[in-house]
């Protein structure tokens, strides 16, 4: 799950990372008090998990507390829209923080290198801009430092990497400490990404994390109950939030053909087939292994919450999942949910004969193969 | 011949008394797998459908000579179960559990690598089957048939889909290996490719990859040196970047893990890459005919 900026900064400061003073609020009156306490010269940042937040008008600098509070009033409840997130996200909270004077900007991140099967720290003197662009245009400007899984990082390795990255000498001592704190935070908090962009070097020579992005490994939330409680906040789409609550692997894709299948690989393959047939998938949904009728029904219901869905493709290869249980779930869903869009079902594997029999006398269109199913649903929704 | 498991494999099930572990243990026994022991701490001395249950892996190994461990225990305890099997000297561990924290897998995988005593398959995988001899996993046994095609895949149900095509086309399998859909796994494509290349029974290899990571690209470098034909399929070719498609590993981030880079590097290595799963059996037949193998 992605953490909000204020959560990320709270977390990192617990590990000794210097962050700008600030507080989060949803109340303009409180915003005034916070901004006054910080001396008036503040930045107000909408706490929404979307790209392009600044361009969408969610971040503004102020010289005094009054206008900062006014802006807070304006932002709370407003829906911000960006190119990355055309559906928009409603602002529930804002972060009010002291402005940071920046003399120089750097980039730091900690993430997993899957090929090396180790953590890697990425360091660059080119901070404050899109790191993927830096990787594209000037790959040598990014230095990678691998973390030994048994021993961690040694100071001399960090110093060498900082020199290689052309981080100015006056910042290196503080950067060594900062990197060690980030790696410790990554491991202790079960992060899957920590990114500080920019790391600011102030005119008086202090290193500070001016922005922070932290994502926590969903599989490790059992060790971090405080975040688990807020995990549905981080969904980018209301149906995805509902899917999280129901424990269903669902991703909204914005198209018109709803897709339900079992197993991530098979579902991805079904998306590919729908695309190949000229359709646009509305979602990815994996019912999971051994799904019972009730769960299948819940999945159908979830997919139909998306009002763009004009047709539904169900693709099941039964192993542990029994075809007849899936058929039962589909029938219950039809019975209770008043489904009035075309549905194509392809059921193969365990108990598939029985499933086909159960679905035969209904409006559901059968298909023998995944390819045929994709072509049929695309044709039916034209 | 086959790779990793055969009729002599003596399987121990960690988490045998759990819902999943119990269900699949019965299925494996029905298939003919030699399940010799179960482990559930606190339930030592009991039995599960006639299979003796022990409190610890060491005790199970000492008393039954188990030489492979199949782990079903829930995510929070899975890493420990793998390390316990390693400590007891078991050379091969298959980890079925999904939803294991990445930080746990980093520790486990690097420790097993450093010690070099135990091979881990998975986590979040369907397991491994040498048809007619040993099923060590959760796949439906009836769709497999013995033969000469080796198979390695990141996805469970997509394996079933393609195996079913192969079986119906009269193409049996030597061993089918599910390596799992997580970002950090114990056995990777390249490892399995090397084993198939060395296995006299395997005549051709089917590889089923998906978006995310660069294991397919790494394997491609080895495939270029192989004597046996490889037919590949990549799932998620139309998945948008930045969205995680169920498998924790199936996400395109930045410029890595794109389907095109996988397809390109496999083709450069001389592998045949199918556009659709329905083409796989035909392409495998062609590949076998080309090398003069009886089909």
């Amino acid at each position: 799950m992605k953490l909000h900026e204020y959560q990320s900064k709270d977390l990192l400061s617990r590990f000794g990372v210097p962050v700008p003073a600030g507080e989060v609020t949803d109340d303009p009156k409180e915003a005034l008090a916070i901004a006054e306490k910080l001396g008036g010269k503040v930045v107000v940042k909408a706490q929404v998990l979307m790209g392009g937040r600044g361009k969408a008008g969610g971040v503004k600098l102020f010289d005094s507390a009054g206008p900062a509070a006014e802006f807070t009033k304006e932002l709370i409840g407003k829906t911000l829209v960006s190119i990355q997130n055309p559906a928009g996200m409603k602002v529930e909270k804002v972060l009010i923080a002291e402005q940071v004077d920046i003399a120089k900007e750097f980039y730091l991140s900690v993430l997993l290198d899957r090929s090396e099967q180790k953590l890697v720290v990425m360091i660059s003197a080119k901070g404050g801009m899109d790191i993927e662009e830096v990787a594209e245009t000037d790959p040598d400007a990014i230095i990678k430092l691998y973390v030994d899984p048994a021993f961690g990082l040694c100071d001399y390795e960090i110093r060498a990497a900082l020199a290689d990255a052309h981080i100015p000498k006056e910042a290196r001592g503080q950067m060594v400490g900062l990197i060690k704190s980030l790696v410790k935070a990554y491991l202790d908090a079960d992060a899957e990404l920590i990114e500080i962009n920019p790391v600011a070097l102030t005119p008086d020579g202090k290193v500070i994390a001016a922005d922070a992005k932290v994502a926590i490994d969903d599989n490790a939330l059992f060790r971090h109950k405080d975040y688990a409680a807020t995990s549905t906040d981080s969904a980018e789409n209301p149906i995805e939030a509902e899917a999280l609550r129901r424990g269903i692997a669902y991703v909204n894709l914005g198209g018109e053909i709803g897709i339900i299948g079992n197993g991530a690989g098979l579902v991805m393959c079904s998306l590919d087939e729908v695309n190949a047939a000229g359709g646009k998938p509305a979602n990815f949904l994996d019912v999971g292994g051994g799904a019972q009728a009730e769960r299948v029904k819940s999945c159908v219901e979830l997919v139909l919450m998306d009002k763009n869905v004009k047709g539904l493709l169900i693709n099941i290869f039964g192993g542990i999942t029994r075809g007849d249980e899936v058929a039962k779930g589909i029938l219950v869903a039809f019975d209770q949910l008043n489904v009035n869009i075309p549905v194509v079902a392809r059921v193969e594997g365990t108990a598939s004969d029985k499933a086909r029999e159960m679905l035969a006398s209904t409006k559901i269109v059968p298909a023998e193969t995944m390819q045929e199913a994709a072509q049929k649903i695309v044709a039916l929704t034209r | 011949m086959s790779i990793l498991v055969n009729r002599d494999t003596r399987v121990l099930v960690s988490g045998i008394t759990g819902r999943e572990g119990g269900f699949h243990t019965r299925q494996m026994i029905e298939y003919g797998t030699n399940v010799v022991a179960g482990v559930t701490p606190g339930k030592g001395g009991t039995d599960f459908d006639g299979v003796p249950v022990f409190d610890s892996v060491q005790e199970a190994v000492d008393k039954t000579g188990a030489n492979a461990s199949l782990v079903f225990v829930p995510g929070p305890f899975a890493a420990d179960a793998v390390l316990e099997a390693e400590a007891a000297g078991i050379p091969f561990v298959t980890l079925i559990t999904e939803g294991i924290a990445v930080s746990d897998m980093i520790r486990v995988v690097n420790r097993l690598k450093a010690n070099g005593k135990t091979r881990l398959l998975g986590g979040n995988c369907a397991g491994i089957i040498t048809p007619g001899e040993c099923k060590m996993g959760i796949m439906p046994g009836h769709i497999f048939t013995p033969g000469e095609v080796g198979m390695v895949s990141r996805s469970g149900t997509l394996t079933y889909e393609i195996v079913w095509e192969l079986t119906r086309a009269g193409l049996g399998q030597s061993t089918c290996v599910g390596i799992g859909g997580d970002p950090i796994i114990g056995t990777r494509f390249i490892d399995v490719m090397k084993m198939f290349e060395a296995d006299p029974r395997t005549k051709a290899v089917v590889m089923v990859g998906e978006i995310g990571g660069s294991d397919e690209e790494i394997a491609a470098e080895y495939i270029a040196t192989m004597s046996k034909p490889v037919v590949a399929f990549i799932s998620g070719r139309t998945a948008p970047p930045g969205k995680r498609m169920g498998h924790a590993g199936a996400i395109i981030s930045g410029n890595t893990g794109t389907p095109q880079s996988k397809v390109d590097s496999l083709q450069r290595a001389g592998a045949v890459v199918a556009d659709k799963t329905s083409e796989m059996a035909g392409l495998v037949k062609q590949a076998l005919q080309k090398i003069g193998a009886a089909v």
Side-chain angles (χ1 to χ4, degrees):
Chain A
M1 69 175 284
K2 290 180 192 162
L3 299 188
H4 283 291
E5 182 187 354
Y6 76 92
Q7 293 173 308
S8 301
K9 285 180 170 168
D10 279 355
L11 178 120
L12 294 179
S13 67
R14 271 188 269 137
F15 289 88
V17 173
V19 299
E23 281 177 53
V24 71
T25 181
D26 57 2
D27 174 13
K29 268 189 212 142
E30 204 181 23
L32 186 71
I34 296 167
E36 277 170 352
K37 202 165 72 184
L38 294 169
K41 204 178 166 216
V42 294
V43 56
V44 178
K45 299 167 125 178
Q47 297 300 289
V48 285
L49 289 164
M50 62 182 235
R53 174 182 67 166
K55 280 189 185 137
V59 179
K60 232 173 172 176
L61 300 173
F62 295 92
D63 288 326
S64 61
E70 272 305 305
F71 182 61
T72 302
K73 199 173 168 184
E74 232 175 83
L75 267 185
I76 297 294
K78 190 175 165 183
T79 298
L80 296 181
V81 178
S82 71
I83 302 165
Q84 291 93 323
N85 197 321
M89 291 191 90
K90 198 168 146 195
V91 181
E92 310 270 2
K93 291 187 175 97
V94 298
L95 172 66
I96 300 168
E98 62 177 0
Q99 289 181 25
V100 181
D101 288 329
I102 298 178
K104 284 188 176 124
E105 298 180 295
F106 317 127
Y107 173 91
L108 269 185
S109 61
V110 186
L111 65 160
L112 173 70
D113 185 314
R114 295 172 51 157
S115 298
E116 296 292 327
Q117 303 189 313
K118 287 175 184 166
L119 297 190
V120 62
V121 182
M122 300 218 289
I123 308 166
S124 179
K126 293 198 160 184
M129 48 178 140
D130 183 3
I131 196 65
E132 288 187 357
E133 204 180 304
V134 178
E136 191 104 333
T137 55
D138 190 5
D140 294 340
I142 302 171
I143 298 299
K144 286 184 178 178
L145 178 61
Y146 288 98
V147 182
D148 186 296
F151 296 100
L153 282 175
C154 299
D155 287 13
Y156 77 90
E157 295 174 297
I158 306 177
R159 286 196 298 268
L162 290 169
D164 289 346
H166 303 295
I167 300 295
K169 272 195 177 149
E170 69 265 30
R172 285 186 206 163
Q174 292 174 69
M175 290 286 277
V176 170
L178 175 54
I179 288 171
K180 286 168 82 170
S181 298
L182 291 184
V183 171
K184 180 154 176 43
Y186 190 101
L187 294 171
D188 287 4
D190 279 297
E192 60 181 17
L193 170 75
I194 297 181
E195 187 178 47
I196 313 289
N197 191 18
V199 177
L201 177 64
T202 62
D204 56 351
K206 289 205 177 76
V207 165
I208 184 166
D211 196 0
K213 260 186 212 160
V214 177
I216 305 286
D217 179 359
D218 290 339
N219 289 343
L221 284 177
F222 70 92
R223 289 196 279 252
H224 309 280
K225 301 269 194 291
D226 42 339
Y227 294 124
T230 65
S231 70
T232 53
D233 295 358
S234 72
E236 287 167 34
N237 166 294
I239 307 175
E240 289 178 3
E242 181 57 29
L244 275 171
R245 279 189 282 272
R246 296 183 184 202
I248 298 170
Y250 171 96
V251 180
N252 193 280
L253 298 170
E256 295 167 346
I257 295 176
I259 294 173
I260 294 175
N262 64 328
L266 189 68
V267 180
M268 274 194 279
C269 194
S270 310
L271 306 180
D272 294 346
E273 291 294 348
V274 165
N275 272 301
K280 287 211 161 43
N283 66 274
F284 166 101
L285 189 154
D286 177 4
V287 295
Q292 304 282 307
E294 188 54 33
R295 182 168 174 88
V296 175
K297 186 206 127 191
S298 176
C299 289
V300 173
E301 190 175 40
L302 191 74
V303 168
L304 298 182
M305 282 177 194
D306 181 350
K307 293 302 159 210
N308 295 325
V309 170
K310 289 193 182 136
L312 176 61
L313 168 65
I314 298 170
N315 183 21
I316 302 292
F317 200 110
I320 338 164
T321 310
R322 296 180 57 90
D324 52 350
E325 276 292 325
V326 173
K328 203 163 110 195
I330 298 172
L331 294 176
V332 172
F334 262 69
D335 196 40
Q336 296 179 4
L337 303 174
N338 187 26
V339 181
N340 49 14
I341 54 170
V343 178
V344 175
R346 181 265 182 155
V347 185
E348 186 56 86
T350 309
S352 55
D353 290 345
K354 202 166 164 205
R356 286 193 207 107
E357 219 171 88
M358 287 165 71
L359 297 175
S361 54
T362 67
K363 285 188 294 183
I364 297 159
V365 180
E368 285 293 313
T369 67
M370 175 165 39
Q371 286 78 22
E372 186 194 321
Q375 282 157 7
K376 277 188 171 166
I377 192 66
V378 171
L380 285 168
T381 51
R382 277 262 156 76
Chain B
M1 287 284 283
S2 55
I3 66 169
L4 292 168
V5 297
N6 56 36
R7 66 181 88 250
D8 299 324
T9 303
R10 298 171 66 77
V11 177
L12 170 159
V13 178
S14 271
I16 194 167
T17 53
R19 192 168 61 98
E20 298 269 307
F23 175 80
H24 290 292
T25 297
R26 287 196 181 103
Q27 299 267 314
M28 286 189 290
I29 292 170
E30 198 177 301
Y31 189 80
T33 303
N34 191 13
V35 180
V36 298
V39 171
T40 300
K43 293 198 176 161
T46 61
D47 78 294
F48 178 88
D49 282 15
V51 177
V53 178
F54 300 91
D55 284 322
S56 76
V57 177
Q58 189 64 61
E59 203 187 340
V61 169
D62 291 346
K63 300 227 167 101
T64 68
N67 59 11
S69 160
L70 182 62
V71 178
F72 283 102
V73 306
F77 316 105
D80 190 66
V82 175
L83 295 174
E84 186 185 0
E86 188 212 23
I90 291 185
F92 181 58
V93 180
T94 296
L95 176 57
I96 302 295
T97 310
E98 65 178 305
I100 305 170
V102 171
S103 56
D104 288 352
M105 287 307 292
I106 294 178
R107 285 191 305 126
V108 167
V109 166
N110 282 288
R111 172 156 151 187
L112 263 51
K113 244 194 303 196
N115 292 344
K117 293 187 303 187
T118 298
R119 169 166 296 285
L120 172 68
L121 180 65
N124 190 13
C125 76
I128 178 168
I129 180 168
T130 292
E133 297 192 28
C134 177
K135 174 178 114 140
M136 191 174 161
I138 61 174
M139 58 288 271
H142 69 271
I143 62 173
F144 298 84
T145 188
E148 297 177 332
V149 179
M151 181 156 173
V152 55
S153 170
R154 265 163 80 175
S155 151
T157 42
L158 200 50
T159 303
Y160 313 160
E161 178 85 36
I162 293 168
V163 160
W164 186 225
E165 296 250 353
L166 295 179
T167 294
R168 280 187 302 177
L171 296 163
Q173 304 92 39
S174 54
T175 301
C176 297
V177 187
I179 58 173
D182 277 356
I184 299 289
I185 50 178
T187 295
R188 301 159 82 174
F189 279 123
I190 184 166
D191 306 317
V192 181
M193 284 294 171
K194 286 177 180 171
M195 291 182 240
F196 278 136
E197 175 72 358
D199 173 39
R201 176 154 171 206
T202 302
K203 296 280 188 282
V205 183
V206 167
M207 170 178 169
V208 183
E210 65 190 25
I211 53 164
S214 52
D215 277 12
E216 288 84 355
E217 288 89 330
I218 294 168
E221 285 174 33
Y222 177 74
I223 290 171
T225 70
M226 280 173 70
S227 68
K228 296 175 185 177
V230 173
V231 178
F233 178 78
I234 302 292
S235 178
R237 284 164 85 161
T238 57
K243 296 268 189 184
R244 172 172 297 170
M245 293 296 155
H247 280 167
I251 182 168
I252 302 171
S253 46
N255 297 323
T256 64
T258 67
Q260 201 54 48
S261 85
K262 294 179 192 300
V263 172
D264 289 349
S265 53
L266 286 166
Q267 283 176 336
R268 269 198 307 275
V272 179
V273 184
D275 283 327
K276 291 178 179 298
T277 53
S278 53
E279 299 167 1
M280 294 293 280
L283 291 171
V284 173
K285 262 193 183 163
Q286 279 174 26
L288 286 170
Q289 275 156 358
K290 229 182 195 170
I291 57 166
V295 179

